[in-house]
């Protein structure tokens, strides 16, 4: 990946240098994300890492998603854990996405079409659909059908499309991308997710489609589409199919958490909500999700081994807990090579368990539920799953199926805070309490606020979106969550 990314930057420098020899300064300053003479294999690794970086990065993955679903907590600098955000809190996710990876994925899609390579075209479509789904799930109505056109396309102030319209198109895009993939021809390179294995890309497209169909299942009848995906049997079938970016040990290709100063990185702790629940369930994943404290009580050594921090404490109260008496997030989740996970086999099984319980698809609810737990244990290299499945509160209970499925999915999504938040919004599981000293009238946020740039550069369309969706507030529900 390092070589691919370096090559990409070298090509961009060469393009700018050559332009400077023959063209005006205006030409030199043309968009470097879309040079016309760069092949898709050069753009793809850079675009992929940029997108996963934004998803996993401090602003969205760490300071929002992981905190808000109470996987992580803050022991210092607790404002974000108290739901205090500035108007720029989500700017990088919005602006960085539109000006960076989304433009690049669209370029890859177009180049694939121009070069007669449907696989590049499909990969661009799949990744663009994934990132757009993150944006609309987080903000609601967003620029979509007129987005990514800019000056060249004649649209500098794109309309905000309704979320239900966006979802219809996202699902169509994923279905089309899956159908156009050729698994035995049209090789691609520069693929840092699946190393050019198009059968895995096809499974990812279909699994992501299942996720999005479940997301809107409270608003639309999606049973036949879900059943068709199950019947065709071309979704994830093991952890080998997981969509994740395996970061490297050397910059610039390390996980975003390692790019944080060590002092800031160590301010993250495992949430008391999660630690206490894993202890109650005798869940051995606790040993991976959390580090042991540096302090051991003489009277209660087991109780002091793993200690979570309550979410949303006032700074002075958090400081009293002591850095050495609370658990850091597990070392596997704060190293350079920590995978940037997009979607897993475990998540898919929990979605299928829920779909079966609601009668959307056929199959054993219990079997899907247990497969989800087993896949999560396997994903993290944890043993003892058979014993865990016999725990009183884990053993499948048909009368309590949706709660068990939702809670186990929340546990399995550890480190994927944004997805866990969106799933919690939809299902209501687990039953989370707002953070303690929150600044939001005891409400857990259900939406990100549009950044100020969306208002000042596109005022009319912004105003129209607000008039139909509701105020630009962290408490305004998106369409599928109403």
């Amino acid at each position: 990946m390092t070589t691919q990314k370096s090559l990409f930057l070298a090509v961009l420098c060469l393009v700018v240098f050559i332009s400077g020899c023959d063209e005006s300064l205006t030409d030199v300053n043309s968009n470097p994300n879309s040079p016309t003479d760069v092949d898709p294999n050069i753009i793809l690794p850079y675009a992929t890492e940029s997108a996963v970086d934004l998803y996993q990065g401090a602003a969205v993955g760490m300071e929002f998603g992981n905190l808000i679903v109470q996987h992580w907590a803050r022991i210092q600098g607790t404002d974000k854990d108290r739901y205090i955000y500035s108007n720029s809190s989500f700017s990088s996710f919005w602006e960085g996405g539109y000006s960076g990876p989304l433009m690049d994925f669209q370029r890859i899609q177009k180049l694939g079409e121009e070069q007669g390579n449907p696989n590049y075209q499909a990969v661009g479509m799949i990744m663009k659909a994934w990132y757009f789904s993150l944006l609309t799930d987080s903000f609601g109505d967003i620029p979509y059908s007129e987005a990514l056109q800019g000056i060249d396309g004649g649209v500098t102030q794109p309309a905000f499309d309704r979320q239900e319209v966006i979802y219809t198109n996202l699902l169509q895009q994923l279905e089309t991308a899956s159908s156009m993939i050729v698994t035995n021809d049209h090789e691609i390179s520069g693929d840092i997710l699946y190393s050019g294995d198009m059968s895995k890309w096809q499974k990812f497209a279909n699994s992501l489609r299942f996720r999005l169909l479940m997301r809107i299942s409270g608003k639309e009848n999606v049973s036949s589409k879900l059943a068709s995906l199950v019947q065709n049997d071309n979704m994830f079938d093991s952890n080998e199919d997981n969509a994740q970016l395996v970061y490297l040990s050397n910059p610039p290709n390390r996980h975003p958490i390692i790019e944080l100063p060590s002092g800031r990185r160590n301010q993250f702790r495992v949430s008391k909500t999660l630690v206490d629940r894993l202890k109650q369930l005798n869940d051995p994943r606790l040993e991976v999700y959390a580090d042991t404290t540096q302090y051991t009580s003489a009277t209660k050594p087991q109780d002091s081994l793993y200690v979570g921090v309550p979410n949303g404490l006032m700074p002075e109260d958090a400081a009293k807990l002591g850095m050495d008496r609370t658990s850091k997030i597990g070392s596997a989740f704060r190293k350079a090579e920590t995978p940037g996970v997009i979607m897993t086999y475990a998540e898919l099984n929990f979605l299928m368990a829920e779909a079966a319980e609601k009668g959307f698809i056929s199959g054993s609810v219990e079997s899907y539920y247990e497969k989800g737990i087993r896949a999560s244990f396997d994903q993290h290299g944890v043993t003892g799953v058979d014993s865990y499945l016999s725990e009183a509160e884990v053993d499948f209970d048909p009368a309590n199926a949706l709660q068990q499925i939702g809670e186990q999915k929340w546990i399995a999504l550890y480190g994927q805070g944004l997805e866990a938040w969106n799933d919690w919004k939809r299902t209501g599981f687990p039953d989370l309490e707002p953070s303690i000293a929150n600044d939001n009238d005891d409400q857990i946020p259900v939406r990100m606020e549009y950044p100020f740039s969306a208002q000042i550069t596109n005022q009319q369309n912004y105003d129209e979106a607000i008039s139909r969706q509701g105020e630009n507030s962290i408490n305004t529900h998106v369409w599928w969550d109403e």
Side-chain angles (χ1 to χ4, degrees):
M1 182 163 64
T2 302
T3 301
Q4 293 168 330
K5 192 171 183 179
S6 299
L7 179 58
F8 174 82
L9 295 175
V11 170
L12 292 188
C13 292
L14 180 61
V15 170
V16 173
F17 177 78
I18 292 173
S19 299
C21 294
D22 301 319
E23 304 292 337
S24 67
L25 183 62
T26 301
D27 293 327
V28 172
N29 288 332
S30 62
N31 181 11
N33 285 321
S34 300
T36 58
D37 56 351
V38 176
D39 286 333
N41 67 300
I42 303 298
I43 307 174
L44 182 55
Y46 183 82
T48 302
E49 185 171 343
S50 297
V52 180
D53 281 353
L54 287 168
Y55 173 60
Q56 291 278 319
V60 173
M62 302 178 210
E63 297 280 16
F64 185 79
N66 289 336
L67 295 180
I68 212 165
V69 296
Q70 299 176 24
H71 283 165
W72 295 4
R74 295 278 303 202
I75 198 167
Q76 293 179 356
T78 62
D79 276 6
K80 298 290 177 63
D81 215 358
R82 297 176 53 222
Y83 314 148
I84 299 173
Y85 311 107
S86 69
N87 191 265
S88 62
S89 293
F90 312 114
S91 294
S92 62
F93 184 41
W94 176 281
E95 296 164 7
Y98 276 111
S99 64
L102 282 173
M103 289 287 290
D104 289 332
F105 291 136
Q106 176 157 289
R107 183 63 180 157
I108 291 165
Q109 177 184 341
K110 183 178 180 181
L111 287 170
E113 183 177 4
E114 291 174 352
Q115 297 176 6
N117 189 325
N119 289 338
Y120 275 124
Q121 190 177 352
V123 168
M125 293 168 69
I126 294 166
M127 291 301 288
K128 192 169 67 170
W130 167 63
Y131 200 93
F132 265 128
S133 75
L134 300 181
L135 287 177
T136 188
D137 287 344
S138 300
F139 295 98
D141 295 358
I142 59 171
Y144 181 73
S145 61
E146 294 182 353
L148 312 180
Q149 297 185 38
I151 296 175
D152 291 340
V155 181
T156 57
Q157 294 181 317
F160 285 58
D161 291 283
R162 296 176 182 270
Q163 186 175 61
E164 55 264 47
V165 175
I166 295 170
Y167 253 83
T168 297
N169 190 263
L170 290 178
L171 291 164
Q172 289 173 346
Q173 291 292 308
L174 289 171
E175 185 175 9
T176 299
S178 176
S179 65
M180 72 168 52
I181 286 174
V182 181
T183 59
N184 58 357
D185 198 1
H186 299 291
E187 292 184 359
I188 68 170
S189 58
D191 174 14
I192 57 177
L193 283 187
Y194 288 125
S195 301
D197 188 337
M198 295 311 301
S199 66
K200 293 187 182 296
W201 275 105
Q202 200 166 47
K203 290 179 181 180
F204 175 37
N206 294 329
S207 300
L208 180 58
R209 190 169 157 230
F210 198 98
R211 174 201 278 179
L212 299 190
L213 285 167
M214 288 299 294
R215 192 86 88 215
I216 63 173
S217 60
K219 285 288 187 178
E220 296 184 3
N221 185 348
V222 295
S223 297
S224 62
K225 294 177 181 179
L226 290 168
S228 177
L229 283 168
V230 174
Q231 184 177 4
N232 290 334
D233 193 25
N234 194 21
M235 296 186 288
F236 293 161
D237 53 29
S238 77
N239 280 322
E240 295 299 314
D241 297 327
N242 290 352
Q244 63 180 21
L245 173 59
V246 179
Y247 285 94
L248 302 181
S249 58
N250 297 318
N253 302 309
R254 305 186 300 179
H255 191 281
I257 194 168
I258 208 67
E259 303 299 337
L260 298 177
S262 60
R264 184 180 174 192
R265 188 164 65 243
N266 289 332
Q267 292 171 5
F268 290 111
R269 288 295 192 267
V270 185
S271 169
K272 185 177 188 297
T273 304
L274 181 69
V275 170
D276 289 357
R277 188 58 181 143
L278 294 183
K279 285 181 177 180
Q280 291 167 357
L281 297 175
N282 292 317
D283 194 319
R285 285 172 290 186
L286 178 59
E287 299 177 10
V288 176
Y289 290 179
D291 275 4
T292 57
T293 66
Q294 299 174 24
Y295 166 83
T296 302
S297 164
T299 56
K300 294 183 178 180
Q302 293 302 316
D303 289 351
S304 61
L305 197 58
Y306 296 99
V307 178
V309 170
N311 285 91
L313 294 174
M314 295 295 291
E316 58 270 24
D317 294 327
K320 293 176 184 177
L321 297 176
M323 299 287 280
D324 63 338
R325 299 191 180 202
T326 54
S327 291
K328 296 179 183 178
I329 60 175
S331 59
F333 292 88
R334 51 183 173 84
K335 61 182 182 179
E337 302 91 341
T338 297
V341 180
I342 297 174
M343 188 174 183
T344 66
Y345 179 54
E347 179 196 341
L348 177 63
N349 273 289
F350 289 125
L351 288 169
M352 294 173 75
E354 179 190 349
E357 172 63 21
K358 292 180 175 179
F360 298 157
I361 64 173
S362 60
S364 167
V365 179
E366 180 176 4
S367 177
Y368 289 134
Y369 168 75
E370 291 192 357
K371 283 181 180 179
I373 295 174
R374 289 183 183 278
S376 178
F377 271 59
D378 178 64
Q379 178 187 344
H380 298 295
V382 177
T383 60
V385 66
D386 289 332
S387 176
Y388 180 70
L389 288 169
S390 67
E391 291 286 340
E393 292 189 72
V394 179
D395 185 32
F396 183 70
D397 176 11
N400 199 33
L402 288 178
Q403 181 178 339
Q404 285 185 311
I405 294 164
E407 182 175 65
Q408 285 296 328
K409 194 195 311 175
W410 171 71
I411 294 171
L413 286 170
Y414 183 77
Q416 296 172 251
L418 193 63
E419 178 55 34
W421 172 60
N422 280 315
D423 201 68
W424 168 81
K425 287 192 298 182
R426 182 180 65 83
T427 67
F429 297 118
D431 185 13
L432 299 176
E433 294 292 330
S435 64
I436 293 174
N438 71 82
D439 194 47
N440 193 41
D441 296 326
D442 283 334
Q443 300 176 76
I444 298 177
V446 293
R447 183 181 165 273
M448 293 181 184
E449 291 183 359
Y450 295 126
F452 188 57
S453 61
Q455 305 173 39
I456 62 174
T457 63
N458 198 3
Q459 185 71 51
Q460 181 178 344
N461 289 312
Y462 166 84
D463 288 343
E464 290 178 1
I466 294 301
S467 68
R468 65 172 179 260
Q469 182 171 262
E471 65 176 310
N472 188 22
S473 163
I474 57 177
N475 300 316
T476 297
H477 292 264
V478 301
W479 163 72
W480 55 253
D481 186 39
E482 291 173 343

